[in-house]
Amino acid sequence: MAKRTCDGCDRRVPVGGGAETLWTTGEAPGGLSLTLADGSDHFLCFDCVERLPEDRNATAADVAAL
Ligand SMILES: [Zn+2]
């Protein structure tokens, strides 16, 4: 299984397929790809996804702060 580095915590997490597959399904075993409110693309593990703010749209600055 392929692995990708989480943009939030720098952990290597397993992913189910190529980036395009992630885009289509929106989910993977260890994390997922997100396009944030500012248009930036990030790969995050589920732990980091849960730590993003829920009361507003997350931006790259929120990912950098994880
Ligand atoms: Zn992470």
Side-chain angles (χ1 to χ4, degrees), residues 2-62:
K3 289 193 174 184
R4 291 187 68 179
T5 302
C6 172
D7 289 338
C9 63
D10 287 336
R11 274 195 307 165
R12 298 279 289 171
V13 295
V15 295
E20 291 76 17
T21 301
L22 288 175
W23 243 124
T24 304
T25 63
E27 59 185 14
L32 55 79
S33 294
L34 295 174
T35 299
L36 303 182
D38 58 4
S40 60
D41 292 310
H42 297 274
F43 177 80
L44 294 174
C45 68
F46 290 131
D47 284 346
C48 287
V49 170
E50 292 184 358
R51 286 158 61 193
L52 290 174
E54 295 182 3
D55 57 340
R56 59 185 171 80
N57 290 326
T59 66
D62 294 309

